Amino acid sequence: MAKYTGPACRQCRREGTKLFLKGDRCYSDKCALTRRTGVPGQHGQGRKMMKEYGLQLREKQKAKRYYGILEKQFRNYFEKAASQEGMAGDNLLIMVERRLDNVAYRMGIGESRREARQLVRHNHFTINGKKANIPSILVKPGDVVAVKEASRGTEKFKTMIENTASRAVPAWLEADKENFTAKVISMPTREGIDFEIEEHLIVELYSK
């Protein structure tokens, strides 16, 4: 499946919930979901109630779009999650939370996960002092994620930290925003993930 290059706000309207793909715009009156609540498309307003498969598909699409992951990679995450001990749905969400691009966003870098992912690809981050430019790297307890020294002094990163000062940092991260670092102090927990998703529907879809 190719990368989605259309309007980000269209994805939120399609899923009927805010996916926070546009940073501050999602919290303002300019949010497309606030202005236009209907599903995109000519016949969006007249769509009927979804059946079981439709509900499962929408939950999967919602999770993929929230984290910015394409189908093949998301399916691979599920297969790994299903092979681990515990609930497959919980394992899946915990795994995608551990992605480097998500960690960068959680620590306050980037107005959206899309922007955080771009910054990772542009070599602005390190893990334990080593270059890390792959968004899908999974962090583990003890890892220290940091913005490279050369990038910290730029106006762009200083402005980011100021703009995201009020953004909550999850309990499994110990963020030092003044020094542009975050230490992974534990594995994420399902209870600590603030995204409203019914992961059991994703499990049911992939288990067919």
Side-chain angles (χ1 to χ4, degrees), residues 141-153:
D143 284 346
V144 176
V145 178
V147 175
K148 291 173 67 173
E149 288 283 353
S151 303
R152 297 180 189 182

Side-chain angles (χ1 to χ4, degrees), residues 4 20 22 48 131 144-145 179 188:
Y4 177 79
F20 302 101
K22 298 282 285 186
K48 299 179 181 178
K131 182 177 74 173
V144 176
V145 178
N179 293 312

Side-chain angles (χ1 to χ4, degrees), residues 44-192:
Q45 298 295 338
R47 297 193 178 183
K48 299 179 181 178
M49 183 180 297
M50 287 187 291
K51 295 184 179 180
E52 181 182 28
Y53 174 77
L55 292 172
Q56 295 168 351
L57 178 63
R58 293 270 59 88
E59 286 300 299
K60 186 259 291 183
Q61 294 293 88
K62 186 196 302 183
K64 279 174 45 185
R65 289 167 171 172
Y66 181 74
Y67 287 104
I69 305 172
L70 297 181
E71 176 61 33
K72 183 176 180 180
Q73 191 172 35
F74 195 75
R75 180 63 184 256
N76 289 338
Y77 282 137
F78 172 77
E79 291 177 355
K80 291 179 182 178
S83 67
Q84 297 174 353
E85 294 183 2
M87 304 289 288
D90 291 359
N91 293 340
L92 173 63
L93 295 183
I94 289 170
M95 194 176 298
V96 294
E97 273 286 312
R98 291 169 54 207
R99 283 173 54 100
L100 177 57
D101 55 357
N102 181 70
V103 173
Y105 173 76
R106 293 291 194 185
M107 64 186 280
I109 305 299
E111 291 190 4
S112 65
R113 285 178 178 81
R114 177 181 291 184
E115 184 177 15
R117 183 159 48 253
Q118 184 181 47
L119 293 171
V120 170
R121 287 181 176 142
H122 288 181
N123 295 304
H124 290 293
F125 284 86
T126 63
I127 296 180
N128 301 328
K130 297 181 180 179
K131 182 177 74 173
N133 59 2
I134 302 175
S136 60
I137 292 176
L138 299 183
V139 301
K140 60 184 183 300
D143 284 346
V144 176
V145 178
V147 175
K148 291 173 67 173
E149 288 283 353
S151 303
R152 297 180 189 182
T154 64
E155 195 63 34
K156 180 179 179 64
F157 278 87
K158 290 180 180 179
T159 301
M160 281 184 191
I161 290 296
E162 291 174 1
N163 292 343
T164 61
S166 60
R167 183 186 298 168
V169 178
W172 55 277
L173 281 180
E174 189 177 75
D176 182 352
K177 294 192 176 184
E178 290 185 2
N179 293 312
F180 298 89
T181 64
K183 183 175 182 180
V184 183
I185 57 176
S186 65
M187 294 287 279
T189 62
R190 176 62 185 94
E191 295 75 20

Side-chain angles (χ1 to χ4, degrees), residues 13-60:
R13 289 179 57 211
R14 181 62 189 88
E15 304 309 329
T17 187
K18 290 190 178 186
L19 302 176
F20 302 101
L21 305 176
K22 298 282 285 186
D24 290 341
R25 185 185 181 94
C26 300
Y27 298 94
S28 71
D29 294 335
K30 295 181 179 180
C31 174
L33 194 64
T34 302
R35 298 164 62 189
R36 301 176 65 186
T37 57
V39 176
Q42 181 179 358
H43 305 291
Q45 298 295 338
R47 297 193 178 183
K48 299 179 181 178
M49 183 180 297
M50 287 187 291
K51 295 184 179 180
E52 181 182 28
Y53 174 77
L55 292 172
Q56 295 168 351
L57 178 63
R58 293 270 59 88
E59 286 300 299
K60 186 259 291 183

Side-chain angles (χ1 to χ4, degrees), residues 186-205:
S186 65
M187 294 287 279
T189 62
R190 176 62 185 94
E191 295 75 20
I193 298 174
D194 55 5
F195 179 45
E196 293 185 8
I197 186 76
E198 296 184 56
E199 63 273 14
H200 67 91
L201 293 177
I202 302 174
V203 175
E204 291 170 5
L205 177 66

